[in-house]
């Protein structure tokens, strides 16, 4: 075979083999088409997600209303504590009135809202409002209900009090107090100085409620109350409060057998006269006798009158029948200061230390002590940082007449002398969390008087003597 014939035969054979092999087409156009589909799908998904997020933000901020069929997320359940207890009170069977109240609470006219740092909560489905207590009390109609508040998808159940005049229609009721669920006892005080009012305490149905008031400071230096009402075993206590210029101090105790469920103040609102020109005149009449034996530089009478007014208001004592004495005047943190004692007729003595101005003062001390020996007691009080609540180790000491030297004992440590100025006052330091006692000595070394320096008091809403930081008698 010639060479040309061989090349021709080989070429033909190779072409046949090449034609039999499948060669794939260029992949790039297919990749472009697939990627276009993927991008389109992602854009659609992103748009849908953005729409959902926008809707959720609108719902959560109460800009977009939540559909009625959406259940929301419950932050607290009404089944907490005693919210599942049977409703109590003479009005709980008046379905027409209660339905009207629910509509009124949820209506736009009442505009009941609950504002927190997380946003503005509004009443949700009014049909889900559960009335726990509804009754006629002295001079008023009062209701306690568990109300669902909504903030977008969240639902928060709130215990809400509503008060109206005796025989009130639903639209005459108004919110009086609101609190979160979680406690087994809730209470309300409400009234005015002209008409009086009431205190209501609601606990578990099998608990006994005792309400006390009409407080007094005994000569032995104790805060005591008179019993006003008891519930038996119904779990609801109601007490009538008489009218008066001085707001009532009311406390309650709720027991289930030997278990104490609650023991403390009954808070609320008590509308008093403002201003009180009679009180101003009475305080001005008290001042000449009050400052007669005072030690220290003179202080503007207007400033002293302001201090006395704060002391009377905090102790819930009237000016009439109360002995006021200005024990010491001076300067604390570059402001006028005073140590004042108030004493109801036949009662214990309450010492107040204050500094500031006639219109803005700071209470540094309030301490209930026994009447016997009160004139011989030195007093010491701790100072907070000016303009704030930070505790400092600074202590002011004021001694009684006849004192030659004074010392402070910190815990079980040795006595630390305190340098006294001509007014009998001095300064020292005591760790903020350490107990201490101030002692005054006569020139012959005998003890004139001794008094604990109370720890910082964080709650002054109760009368002095209600907590260990505001009394010396245990």
């Amino acid at each position: 075979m010639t060479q040309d014939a061989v090349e021709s035969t080989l070429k033909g054979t190779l072409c046949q083999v090449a034609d039999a092999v499948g060669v794939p087409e260029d992949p790039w156009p297919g990749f472009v088409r697939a990627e276009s589909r993927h991008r389109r799908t992602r854009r659609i998904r992103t748009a849908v997600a953005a729409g959902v997020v926008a809707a959720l933000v609108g719902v959560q901020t109460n800009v977009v209303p939540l559909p009625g069929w959406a259940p929301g997320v419950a932050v607290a359940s009404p089944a907490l504590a005693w919210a599942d207890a049977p409703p109590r009170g003479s009005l709980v069977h008046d379905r027409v009135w209660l339905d009207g109240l629910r509509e009124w609470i949820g209506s736009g006219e009442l505009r009941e809202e609950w504002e927190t740092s997380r946003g503005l909560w509004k009443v949700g489905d009014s049909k889900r409002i559960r009335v726990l207590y509804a009754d006629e009390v002295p001079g008023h109609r009062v209701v306690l209900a568990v109300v669902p508040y909504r903030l977008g998808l969240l639902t928060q159940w709130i215990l809400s009090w509503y008060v109206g005049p005796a025989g009130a229609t639903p639209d005459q009721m108004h919110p009086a107090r609101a609190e979160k669920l979680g406690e087994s006892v809730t209470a309300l005080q409400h009234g005015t100085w002209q008409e009086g009012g009431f205190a209501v305490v609601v606990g578990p149905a099998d608990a006994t409620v005792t309400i006390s008031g009409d407080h007094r400071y005994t000569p032995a230096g104790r805060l005591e109350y008179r019993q006003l009402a008891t519930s038996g075993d119904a779990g609801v206590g109601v007490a009538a409060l008489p009218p008066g210029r001085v707001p009532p101090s009311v406390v309650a105790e709720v027991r289930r057998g030997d278990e104490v469920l609650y023991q403390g103040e009954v808070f609320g609102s008590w509308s008093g006269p403002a201003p009180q020109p009679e009180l101003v005149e009475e305080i001005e009449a008290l001042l000449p006798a009050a400052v007669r034996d005072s030690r220290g530089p003179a202080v503007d009478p207007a400033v002293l009158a302001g201090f006395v007014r704060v002391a009377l208001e905090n102790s819930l004592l009237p000016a009439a029948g109360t002995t006021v004495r200005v024990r010491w005047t001076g300067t604390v943190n570059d402001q006028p200061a005073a140590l004042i004692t108030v004493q109801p007729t036949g009662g214990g003595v309450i010492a107040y230390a204050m500094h500031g101005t006639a219109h803005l003062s700071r209470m540094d001390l309030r301490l209930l002590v026994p009447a016997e020996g009160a004139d011989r007691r030195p007093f010491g009080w701790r100072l907070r940082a000016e303009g704030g609540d930070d505790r400092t180790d600074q202590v002011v000491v004021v001694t009684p007449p006849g004192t030659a030297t004074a010392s402070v004992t910190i815990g079980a440590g040795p006595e630390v002398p305190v340098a006294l100025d001509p007014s009998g006052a001095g300064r020292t330091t005591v760790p903020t969390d350490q107990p201490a006692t101030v002692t005054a000595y006569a020139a012959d070394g005998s003890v004139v008087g001794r008094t604990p320096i109370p720890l910082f008091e964080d709650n002054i809403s109760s009368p002095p003597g209600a907590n260990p930081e505001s009394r010396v008698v245990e």
Side-chain angles (χ1 to χ4, degrees), residues 199 210-218 222-230 239-243 248-253:
T210 301
I211 301 177
S212 301
D214 193 17
H215 76 288
R216 72 186 190 102
Y217 304 103
T218 71
R222 290 185 172 88
L223 174 66
E224 293 184 351
Y225 290 87
R226 179 175 64 86
Q227 181 173 308
L228 301 178
T230 184
L241 303 178
S249 176
V250 181
V251 296
E253 181 181 83

Side-chain angles (χ1 to χ4, degrees), residues 267 314 362-366 382-385 388-392 432-433 454-471:
F267 297 107
N314 181 262
R362 181 160 208 167
M363 187 186 304
D364 300 314
L365 171 76
R366 58 172 203 159
R382 305 169 193 256
L383 297 179
R384 296 181 186 267
D389 289 328
D390 293 340
R391 303 175 178 187
T392 76
T432 60
D433 59 346
L455 295 171
F456 285 102
E457 187 181 11
D458 293 323
N459 182 9
I460 62 172
S461 59
S462 302
N467 52 58
E469 295 79 23
S470 63
R471 64 175 184 256

Side-chain angles (χ1 to χ4, degrees), residues 49-138:
V52 171
V53 169
L56 289 175
V57 170
V59 168
Q60 189 58 34
T61 56
N62 283 338
V63 174
V64 178
L66 187 68
W69 48 262
V73 179
V75 177
S77 168
L80 285 177
W82 42 268
D84 283 335
R88 285 161 284 175
S90 62
L91 297 173
V92 297
H93 302 296
D94 190 339
R95 292 182 175 274
V96 175
W97 191 86
L98 292 181
D99 287 344
L101 177 68
R102 292 186 182 94
E103 292 180 7
W104 177 243
I105 293 174
S107 70
E109 294 181 63
L110 186 57
R111 291 188 178 87
E112 189 174 356
E113 299 171 337
W114 183 58
E115 188 170 5
T116 69
S117 59
R118 291 193 296 171
L120 193 63
W121 297 70
K122 298 182 178 181
V123 175
D125 186 357
S126 61
K127 295 180 181 178
R128 301 177 68 190
I129 296 173
R130 178 152 187 228
V131 174
L132 304 177
Y133 170 77
D135 207 349
E136 297 284 354
V137 299

Side-chain angles (χ1 to χ4, degrees), residues 208-364:
T208 300
V209 177
T210 301
I211 301 177
S212 301
D214 193 17
H215 76 288
R216 72 186 190 102
Y217 304 103
T218 71
R222 290 185 172 88
L223 174 66
E224 293 184 351
Y225 290 87
R226 179 175 64 86
Q227 181 173 308
L228 301 178
T230 184
S231 68
D233 293 322
V236 177
V238 179
L241 303 178
R245 292 182 176 274
V246 177
S249 176
V250 181
V251 296
E253 181 181 83
V254 182
R255 287 179 171 269
R256 183 194 283 128
D258 295 332
E259 180 186 7
V260 177
L261 302 178
Y262 179 81
Q263 192 172 49
E265 289 281 313
V266 176
F267 297 107
S269 61
W270 189 266
S271 301
Q276 301 183 48
E278 298 87 353
L279 178 60
V280 174
E281 295 174 0
E282 290 172 346
I283 291 176
E284 290 176 349
L286 288 174
L287 282 182
V291 301
R292 187 172 300 150
D293 299 319
S294 177
R295 306 174 70 192
V299 170
D300 185 347
V303 174
L304 285 181
F307 290 169
V308 172
R309 177 182 57 80
V310 171
L312 292 174
E313 290 178 350
N314 181 262
S315 59
L316 300 176
L317 290 174
T322 299
T323 299
V324 179
R325 291 187 56 191
V326 179
R327 303 294 182 103
W328 168 85
T329 56
T331 302
V332 170
N333 293 349
D334 298 324
Q335 298 179 32
L339 174 66
I340 298 169
T341 59
V342 296
Q343 181 183 20
T345 303
V349 174
I350 310 163
Y352 284 93
M354 283 173 273
H355 72 275
T357 67
H359 305 291
L360 182 63
S361 60
R362 181 160 208 167
M363 187 186 304
D364 300 314

Side-chain angles (χ1 to χ4, degrees), residues 328 331-332 379-381 383 394-399 406 408 417-429 438 453:
W328 168 85
T331 302
V332 170
F379 291 95
W381 60 90
L383 297 179
Q394 298 297 304
V395 171
V396 178
V397 169
V398 170
T399 60
V408 167
V418 178
L420 302 176
D421 64 20
S423 70
R427 297 283 285 263
T428 188
T429 60
V438 57
I453 300 174

